Amino acid sequence: MASSSEPVLHSRRSLYVGGLSNDVNESSLRAAMIPFGPIQSIEIPMDYASGKHKGFAFVEYGDAEDAHECIYNLDGSELYGRVLSVNLARENKSNNNSNKAVWSTDEFFQTLHDKDQKKEVEGVLTEEGVAR
């Protein structure tokens, strides 16, 4: 069993559930997943611009075996007419330094500078009629 200091996403108890219909809410998702074991938490990210959820959720079970049982039984099944994709959740790799602004490193500005230079060169080549 995972230690309490271990991150949830690495504990093999947290699942990604994709392909959710707009009709799915936390209660209906809980009802579909509770037969496999006690659920610790359910998170359904919202798109605040549209007021609807983004079509996926994260579900954390109390035990890794319950999570695997859920994957085995629900991956590829239907809920509200949509096929579910149920897998172990993975760490968000693009968010490793989430406490830092993207522009807080020189790397960000170098990338921007390189892109601007590339566009500038492509523009000059196009004006001169040089084919790539």
Side-chain angles (χ1 to χ4, degrees):
M1 185 160 190
S3 68
S4 60
S5 64
E6 187 176 354
V8 171
L9 293 178
H10 296 298
S11 69
R12 308 190 69 73
R13 298 178 296 139
S14 187
L15 302 179
Y16 164 84
V17 183
L20 296 179
S21 164
N22 286 332
D23 298 328
V24 173
N25 58 31
E26 185 175 337
S27 299
S28 59
L29 186 58
R30 182 177 297 275
M33 302 192 90
I34 197 76
F36 307 107
I39 295 173
Q40 299 296 313
S41 66
I42 294 179
E43 293 180 38
I44 304 176
M46 296 296 292
D47 178 3
Y48 294 106
S50 70
K52 299 177 181 180
H53 63 74
K54 294 183 177 183
F56 64 91
F58 296 99
V59 178
E60 181 189 359
Y61 280 93
D63 185 43
E65 290 198 21
D66 294 340
H68 287 286
E69 192 67 24
C70 180
I71 292 170
Y72 180 76
N73 285 285
L74 288 185
D75 187 39
S77 66
E78 278 191 29
L79 182 64
Y80 288 95
R82 299 276 305 265
V83 177
L84 297 178
S85 172
V86 183
N87 301 298
L88 285 174
R90 293 181 291 188
E91 183 178 4
N92 185 353
K93 293 182 184 189
S94 66
N95 211 7
N96 288 340
N97 292 322
S98 62
N99 57 344
K100 293 182 181 179
V102 293
W103 55 86
S104 66
T105 64
D106 290 336
E107 219 173 274
F108 174 77
F109 291 108
Q110 185 61 42
T111 303
L112 281 180
H113 179 69
D114 291 347
K115 286 181 182 177
D116 288 343
Q117 280 187 331
K118 183 178 178 184
K119 286 180 185 175
E120 213 173 285
V121 169
E122 287 174 349
V124 169
L125 292 176
T126 304
E127 288 174 5
E128 294 176 358
V130 177
R132 291 179 27 141

